[in-house]
Amino acid sequence: MTTSTLSSIGADRTGSDRRFCTFFLGDLYLGVPVTKVQEVIRAQERTRVPLVSAVVNGLMNLRGEIVTTIDLRRRLELPPLATGIESMNVVIRSDEGVVSILVDEIRDVLEVGNAEFEPVPATLRGTCRELVSGIYKLDDALLLILDTDRLLDIPPPNHTVHAHHEQDAEPNR
Amino acid sequence: MDDGELDEVVNEFITESHENLDQLDQELVHLEHNQDPEVVARIFRTIHTIKGTSGFLGFGTLESVTHVGESLLSKLRDGAFPVTTEITSALLAMVDAVREILGSVAGDGSEGSLAYPELVVRLTQLNDGPAAPVEPEPVPVVAASEPAPLRAIAGGAAKKPRKRAPRTLPVVTVSTAKDDSGVLVETESLDDQPVDTVGMLGLQLLEDHKISEDQLAAALRQQDDGDTRRLGEILVEANALSPKDVREGLKTQVEDRPTANETIRVDVSLLDDLMNLVGELVLARNQILQFTQNQGDPSFNATSQRLNLITTELQAGVMKTRMQPIENVWNKFPRVVRDLTIGCGKQARLEMEGKHTELDKTLLEAIKDPLTHLVRNAVDHGLETPQQRLAAGKPAEGVVRLGAYHEGGQVIIEISDDGAGIDAGVLRRKAVQKGLLTAEEAAGRSDRDMLNIIFQPGFSTAEVVSNISGRGVGMDVVKTNIEGIGGSVDVQTVLGRSTTFKVKIPLTLAIIPALVVTVSGDRYAIPQVSLLELVRLDVHHAQSGPNGQGGGGIEWIQGVPVHRLRGRLLPLVFLDEVFGGDQTTSAVADREAYNIVVVQADDHQFGLVVDEISDTAEIVVKPLGRLLKHVDAFAGATIMGDGRVALILDVMGIANHVGITSGERGAGRHAATNAEAADAALDRRRLLLFSLGDRRLGLPLEAVARLEEFRARDVEISNHRPVVQYRGEIMNLVDLGEELRIPRARVDGQPMQVVVYTESDVSVGLVVDEIFDIVEESFEVTQRSSVNGIQGTAVIQGLVTDVIDVRGILDAALPGLLARHTTNRTSEVAAA
């Protein structure tokens, strides 16, 4: 994280720009800017999309519009959600159109102060480091802010297939 | 007038002018061949309107360009000199200039920097040509004092285009203002509109030959001089006509008027929005209908039935608003052909048939370029030079024919020329030279298969085109574009005689018929256009040995499944494997039967093995989000009746994904299917073998559309004949046993075996006892038969088999049904 992006996130934030829709994903307390969020809805029936990255969880019908759902756990390389718990949809507007991300549990919309902002610690590794644009130090928790653009920049499926099946390469061809 | 209002006027002017210009192109080309004074008058009027309006709006360049053109046209109209090629070219150049300026106005509001001095000089010179003095202002704004423009007006109005004409008509008539907006908004009743209405009446009367121009001119002058009476009254008083004529004239006028006032311009984006909303409504309707099925409430049922009907009608209505005649694209072809023939020293005539055939506006836009390309090719490469044609015993003038008609929910567009045709031998040589085929491959291909190579990217290069009398650059692009909108293109040629390109495209893109299938518990929709047939194989039948004798089962070539479908190898794709569903259990073991959806992608036929075939449905195509744009196996998604999303398969994408289209795997073989009927007739014929009682019979397979089973209770009686409901239509049943007087071995309770015969969209079901097999072999009809309905008898598979004459039987059993239909279509095309 360079200082320039840091300042663009930390500074100049007023009102709604510093408000985040927050949710839990396992132990992670995450947030996306509330301006990006169209709505939050319960789990919907989804249709599986074959031949794409497993991160794409499926398609759902949102009042006649077809919305792609993203499995955030898979995207962050976390283990799947325990069965029996329904995930929630955070529907966000992005350059890629309207997309829904699946999260475990929805929390409040928080307004945070600039003073609490910190860049991502250099020691954070993996996808999390790639996708988190900064951290707000709250009194009782750390709020990780997701970079939705990078979140939706999903690696093509071949990549993941090969990563998982390096031994039995090219299983389908 | 504030800016917004002005913009509106300018926009209106641009839109209208563009429409008129397209027509001008056509009319100028027409004029070149036929010195038709009416057409000159029409062209004059159009240019005059543009000139007048541009003056009013302050477009100086536009005014000056059109002004010289107008002067020239007025000379032509007065018959000062005939229309020559040179004049036509200059006038066409003027039309282009006007188009350019208007384009610039539409873009940034200015006329652009070009002043077209050369064009103005060129037109002026032509104008001065035969020594006639230049008429300074032949502007018939004050038409009352000049009979000549009236002739022009009346002449123009007397012809068909009255529907379009009224808008421009009054502009040059009695209204003394340049602004014609008064007419455009004219909606009041006759009585409140003395001046304009009377002017219209005058024209009407002139058109009906009730009065002469001089009489009308005199009456109008009288009005101008302060006579406040109506035109009709003046004319009656002058004994020019009877009061009855006036009344009739007024009546006609009133009847005519709605055509002028009931058309409104609507923004295309508004129509798109409406279309989307109707799409939503269709989905909601589907959901409600599904819900209704689980409900007992009769009044709710009735309401939803009504909703169903209304939605269907609304959908049809909104679709219709987006429909435009193909004429809109064809209109520019006369000009294209003219310019090309002049450019390459050929002579060509363009014939059009069915130009009122309508299709969706988006599709119309999409086929514009491919069609232009095909037309250009027809002239450029299809037609020979006049010398060559004469040498070949043909008239020097070649014919390029455009035809359009609806068939089976599709629009068929044919572009044909009576040129030299495409020599398959040359194509073979070229393909080998280009390294696209090996010499053996090329030799092994039928002429028909070879033809399709012109659509291959590597083949159609300029170099090849110049060497063969074949097709040109970018045929692959034409094909890609047409396929991009769900259409197909096909070429047929007769060497030395003709070449025909047949383009098939769907009527609309937004709502398409599709087959719904299930794979690993997920539903998918397969667009009907790529669908060929459905095959069901029983599992014990299907697995007849690993190297199977293939009694219609599934066989494996190095792990690749294939099925012999009527003697041809059909590659199979197990969709559950391709899609890698959740159910990892071997579906093969659990299946009772294989459901194979035979589809066509490009020239490749293959079978998609699915778990279940549900139903056909009208689906609303929704785009996939940008995240999934790169997945070419899916063409989009749709929302099913239960509100869930189903993916729409892109058959071509799947073929690419599994590698069916790579290489030459079966390409040629499958492409042959269409031509089979013809090819097979020569030596080998394919027969469907069946039994009636103890007799063994065969019927030519090309007559067979499908094989079906019906139960006795499905049969209903209509018009004293047995019928069944089949695919949403009523299909006549013909009992072959009865027709051929062969006692059938009836078994009660067993379903009837029915062979569906289809000819020009009419299907008839032939009831037989048992269907055995399909054979392809050369056989000889050894004995001509004297029995009606039997073509003859042959020995097939060592057994005596009667080959029936389907058409003969059907003509006897259902006299007129097929013949009548065929004639209907022909006359329809002719009428169009």
Side-chain angles (χ1 to χ4, degrees), chain B residues 316-329:
Chain B
V318 171
M319 301 258 258
K320 223 171 169 178
T321 61
R322 297 170 50 90
M323 297 299 246
Q324 292 195 310
I326 195 160
E327 193 179 5
N328 290 8
V329 167

Side-chain angles (χ1 to χ4, degrees), chain A residues 46-48 50 52 61 64 95, chain B residues 522 524 622 626 643-645:
Chain A
R46 291 181 297 269
T47 301
R48 192 176 71 91
V52 295
N61 170 11
D95 294 344
Chain B
D522 296 320
Y524 297 91
K622 303 239 167 200
R626 295 220 340 237
R644 292 196 62 175
V645 178

Side-chain angles (χ1 to χ4, degrees), chain B residues 476-688:
Chain B
D476 57 322
V477 180
V478 170
K479 191 179 170 76
T480 321
N481 286 350
I482 290 172
E483 280 172 355
I485 52 167
S488 67
V489 56
D490 184 40
V491 57
Q492 290 170 355
T493 189
V494 182
L495 194 59
R497 295 262 301 282
S498 67
T499 307
T500 302
F501 283 89
K502 196 169 183 180
V503 177
K504 292 186 189 177
I505 45 175
L507 277 177
T508 180
L509 283 181
I511 298 178
I512 58 166
L515 181 77
V516 181
V517 301
T518 311
V519 179
S520 311
D522 296 320
R523 277 174 306 178
Y524 297 91
I526 305 175
Q528 205 109 58
V529 281
S530 36
L531 215 61
L532 291 176
E533 63 181 306
L534 305 177
V535 177
R536 186 183 158 92
L537 299 176
D538 276 338
V539 105
H540 54 272
H541 198 163
Q543 288 170 327
S544 54
N547 302 317
Q549 290 308 299
I554 291 181
E555 296 163 65
W556 302 79
I557 310 168
Q558 292 205 317
V560 176
V562 293
H563 169 63
R564 295 192 205 186
L565 182 64
R566 290 191 288 275
R568 296 185 180 281
L569 280 190
L570 182 75
L572 295 181
V573 176
F574 282 85
L575 274 186
D576 52 350
E577 279 174 25
V578 175
F579 289 167
D582 298 333
Q583 301 163 1
T584 39
T585 50
S586 167
V588 178
D590 299 344
R591 277 176 221 250
E592 287 174 10
Y594 292 96
N595 288 306
I596 303 175
V597 181
V598 183
V599 291
Q600 174 127 17
D602 232 344
D603 289 340
H604 307 266
Q605 277 179 25
F606 59 102
L608 297 171
V609 184
V610 301
D611 296 349
E612 204 182 301
I613 293 171
S614 314
D615 206 354
T616 53
E618 292 268 299
I619 59 166
V620 181
V621 182
K622 303 239 167 200
L624 290 174
R626 295 220 340 237
L627 275 179
L628 301 177
K629 269 278 140 54
H630 61 277
V631 192
D632 56 4
F634 306 112
T638 188
I639 295 170
M640 305 300 293
D642 59 3
R644 292 196 62 175
V645 178
L647 285 159
I648 302 168
L649 297 188
D650 182 333
V651 169
M652 190 69 207
I654 288 174
N656 287 337
H657 185 82
V658 297
I660 279 183
T661 43
S662 64
E664 284 301 314
R665 207 204 290 182
R669 195 172 54 241
H670 295 301
T673 344
N674 294 334
E676 244 152 42
D679 287 354
L682 296 177
D683 42 10
R684 294 166 72 85
R685 291 183 70 182
R686 293 184 303 156
L687 285 182
L688 176 81

Side-chain angles (χ1 to χ4, degrees), chain A residues 140-159:
Chain A
D140 48 355
L142 291 175
L143 176 64
L144 280 58
I145 303 304
L146 284 173
D147 181 329
T148 49
D149 292 340
R150 269 186 254 164
L151 186 71
L152 298 178
D153 187 13
I154 296 166
N158 284 349
H159 180 77

Side-chain angles (χ1 to χ4, degrees), chain B residues 88-366:
Chain B
T88 312
S89 295
L91 287 173
L92 283 171
M94 176 194 68
V95 172
D96 287 343
V98 171
R99 209 176 263 136
E100 252 176 68
I101 301 172
L102 285 175
S104 169
V105 171
D108 58 5
S110 82
E111 288 184 274
S113 50
L114 296 171
Y116 305 95
E118 283 160 27
L119 179 63
V120 172
V121 169
R122 186 170 158 199
L123 286 168
T124 317
Q125 274 169 357
L126 286 168
N127 207 345
D128 293 341
V134 183
E135 207 174 302
E137 269 292 300
V139 189
V141 170
V142 191
S145 56
E146 275 184 67
L150 276 176
R151 190 185 305 123
I153 295 148
K159 285 290 276 184
K160 262 200 313 224
R162 199 192 293 162
K163 274 192 181 174
R164 283 188 176 196
R167 206 165 258 242
T168 45
L169 257 177
V171 182
V172 283
T173 57
V174 282
S175 69
T176 43
K178 277 185 175 180
D179 184 358
D180 60 16
S181 54
V183 177
L184 281 170
V185 297
E186 177 197 355
T187 48
E188 291 97 317
S189 76
L190 270 176
D191 296 328
D192 304 335
Q193 286 280 317
V195 176
D196 262 342
T197 312
V198 167
M200 297 288 281
L201 172 68
L203 283 177
Q204 185 65 53
L205 291 168
L206 205 55
E207 207 175 290
D208 297 342
H209 302 290
K210 290 285 197 292
I211 52 169
S212 73
E213 286 159 19
D214 293 343
Q215 284 169 327
L216 176 58
L220 287 171
R221 241 187 327 264
Q222 223 171 313
Q223 271 192 336
D224 271 6
D225 293 345
D227 195 329
T228 51
R229 286 174 303 167
R230 307 260 181 90
L231 186 75
E233 292 169 29
I234 300 175
L235 285 168
V236 172
E237 191 156 296
N239 284 330
L241 76 172
S242 70
K244 182 170 158 268
D245 286 334
V246 178
R247 272 197 303 278
E248 272 175 11
L250 283 168
K251 206 171 140 223
T252 327
Q253 198 185 336
V254 171
E255 279 165 3
D256 269 14
R257 249 146 64 103
T259 56
N261 287 334
E262 280 186 0
T263 336
I264 51 166
R265 285 181 204 284
V266 179
D267 209 325
V268 176
S269 64
L270 178 63
L271 291 182
D272 288 344
D273 289 349
L274 276 179
M275 191 70 210
N276 285 339
L277 286 173
V278 168
E280 295 298 323
L281 186 63
V282 167
L283 291 177
R285 187 263 320 256
N286 291 353
Q287 271 161 273
I288 285 188
L289 285 183
Q290 193 149 51
F291 181 63
T292 313
Q293 286 173 357
N294 312 322
Q295 286 278 325
D297 189 338
S299 76
F300 179 69
N301 281 358
T303 314
S304 52
Q305 272 315 315
R306 202 166 146 60
L307 174 72
N308 184 14
L309 285 176
I310 295 172
T311 311
T312 311
E313 267 176 44
L314 183 65
Q315 182 190 336
V318 171
M319 301 258 258
K320 223 171 169 178
T321 61
R322 297 170 50 90
M323 297 299 246
Q324 292 195 310
I326 195 160
E327 193 179 5
N328 290 8
V329 167
W330 283 4
N331 273 350
K332 63 175 187 153
F333 290 158
R335 167 98 191 258
V336 168
V337 169
R338 174 196 181 265
D339 289 357
L340 260 182
T341 45
I342 290 179
C344 62
K346 290 177 182 173
Q347 292 175 24
R349 188 171 77 239
L350 186 64
E351 287 179 1
M352 296 181 185
E353 216 173 83
K355 61 182 176 185
H356 299 301
T357 309
E358 291 189 321
L359 65 163
D360 191 280
K361 189 179 159 58
T362 341
L363 290 171
L364 208 57
E365 288 294 316

